[in-house]
Amino acid sequence: AQVIGHREATYRIYCTLPALAMFTCCAPPVENENEIVAGRAGGNNLAEGTKEIAAKDPAPAAAQSAPPAPAAAASPPPAPAAATPAPAATPPPAAETKPAEPTPTPEPTPPAPTTFEVVLTKATPSDRFGFTNMPTDLPDGRKGLTVSKIADGGLLDRYNKGATTDKVVKTEAVITKVNTTENDVQAMRMLLRDCTSVTLTIIKA
């Protein structure tokens, strides 16, 4: 059997129905009841044929369903929240710096006294050492004899005339030792009185 489209089948039906109507109204009168039944049977057969055609060519859907919309792109996951930096530790307050105390300037150390030795020897009984002295205390606590006067023509005066400048004995010079005796004023004076030769250790004035 030839398959026809739905629209063509419908058109044929619509076109056939008027023709049937026309045929009926123009047809001669039915003579008997058998012809009426036969006519009805023919009409039923036409309707059933129409249904069969419609079944073979089902009507397409009124409107094709639109293709499904593409799924929306998945939104990217939210960015992780930035870690909140820990607050910086507050440094402890700086200790108050006290101004450095000025370093005391050390007192200048006095230069070491210049000492030298003088040897005086009596050549005759009339020779004299030719100077006077007086007891004195030295800065370091020792005892000494300070030359207070030098006599002209005495052994010390004659020595000074022949000595170099740095070895001249002047007044205010201090005798710290007579021969090997020191720090004993009376003992040193006795040696100057009784000895014919003495070695004097002198601190330059």
Side-chain angles (χ1 to χ4, degrees), residues 37-47:
V37 173
R40 291 179 179 177
N44 291 338
N45 291 337
L46 180 60

Side-chain angles (χ1 to χ4, degrees), residues 50-168:
T50 303
K51 291 180 180 181
E52 182 180 357
I53 293 172
K56 289 182 180 180
D57 188 11
Q64 293 182 354
S65 59
S75 58
T84 304
T90 304
E96 182 179 357
T97 304
K98 295 182 179 180
E101 296 182 359
T103 303
T105 303
E107 296 182 0
T109 303
T114 302
T115 62
F116 57 94
E117 291 184 347
V118 174
V119 178
L120 301 176
T121 302
K122 295 177 181 179
T124 64
S126 59
D127 289 338
R128 299 288 182 269
F129 293 129
F131 65 92
T132 58
N133 59 79
M134 57 184 297
T136 187
D137 294 329
L138 299 175
D140 58 4
R142 293 180 298 164
K143 304 286 185 182
L145 297 173
T146 299
V147 177
S148 55
K149 184 179 179 180
I150 299 174
D152 293 337
L155 294 179
L156 184 57
D157 179 53
R158 283 185 278 176
Y159 163 81
N160 282 338
K161 290 178 180 179
T164 58
T165 304
D166 59 332
K167 298 292 180 69
V168 173

